[in-house]
Amino acid sequence: MSDDTAPADTEDQIANGQDNGSAEESFDTLRAEIAQMREQMLRVAADAENAKRRAEREANNARAYAIEKFAKDLLGVADNLQRAMQHAPKDSQDQLVKNLAIGLEMTEKELLAAFERNGLKRVDPARGEKFDPHQHQAVMEQPATDVGGGAVLQVLQSGYDLFGRIVRPAMVVVSAKGSGGGDVAAEAPSGNPYAQTDDDAGGAVDRKA
């Protein structure tokens, strides 16, 4: 009887071994398919996002080109109002002078509000903000003790952004390398590795003045 059962046991063990091997192979195949599907999903999501960005940029550029010349002509008016505001004697005892200063302030606010409503925004970085070559133009460098190197120290002339397109960069003074607080570090990129940045997408947005 033992002779009759031995071959059967051996066959069962072989069959079980084959089943385990087949299961492992199936799992490996499934893992590979899942990884491939995940990569395909990332690519599809990135393509959709890139297409959306391109469409937005093209629409913004079309709107910006239409009013850019008119906007540039108005920047001189905004600059003059800003300079007048900086030198306006707000603490004057003369009521006429005080009313003039108030009128200048109200006029500047209304002009900037009109700019905002039409997509034109002032670029006026705060002290200590990281220098952005896409939005700022460094006129000079100075050492500083309160901010790190590569940060904005002073705005000499405000810039303007029209629908994400820099019409005029902000003229700024930048802290010299090695200033107090250490150099301002650049942010590390993150997100979908297949997604394009603005620079990768063929430079559809012109950021030059």
Side-chain angles (χ1 to χ4, degrees), residues 146-159:
D146 57 332
V147 297
V152 174
L153 291 181
Q154 181 183 359
V155 179
L156 302 179
Q157 185 182 59
S158 298

Side-chain angles (χ1 to χ4, degrees), residues 46-187:
D47 289 342
E49 183 63 24
N50 294 337
K52 179 181 177 182
R53 288 182 180 180
R54 284 194 295 270
E56 289 177 352
R57 280 195 297 269
E58 290 171 0
N60 289 341
N61 281 342
R63 296 165 64 189
Y65 280 126
I67 63 174
E68 182 176 0
K69 186 179 184 301
F70 179 66
K72 284 184 175 180
D73 290 340
L74 288 179
L75 295 188
V77 178
D79 292 339
N80 290 333
L81 278 174
Q82 190 175 23
R83 295 188 192 100
M85 284 294 303
Q86 292 173 351
H87 296 88
K90 298 179 181 179
D91 55 350
S92 174
Q93 300 300 319
D94 190 329
Q95 189 62 40
L96 180 61
V97 175
K98 290 178 67 175
N99 290 340
L100 178 60
I102 293 173
L104 286 172
E105 183 177 2
M106 293 176 63
T107 302
E108 184 189 36
K109 286 183 178 180
E110 183 60 31
L111 179 62
L112 292 179
F115 282 174
E116 290 273 352
R117 288 194 297 270
N118 290 276
L120 186 63
K121 299 179 181 179
R122 177 179 282 181
V123 178
D124 195 14
R127 181 183 176 88
E129 185 176 326
K130 179 186 173 184
F131 175 79
D132 184 353
H134 296 305
Q135 294 187 329
H136 312 148
Q137 181 175 342
V139 178
M140 66 181 72
E141 282 189 347
Q142 290 181 355
T145 58
D146 57 332
V147 297
V152 174
L153 291 181
Q154 181 183 359
V155 179
L156 302 179
Q157 185 182 59
S158 298
Y160 285 89
D161 175 292
L162 182 62
F163 297 116
R165 173 187 174 88
I166 290 298
V167 176
R168 187 182 73 188
M171 305 290 185
V172 299
V173 179
V174 181
S175 58
K177 185 176 181 180
S179 294
D183 294 345
V184 180
E187 296 181 358

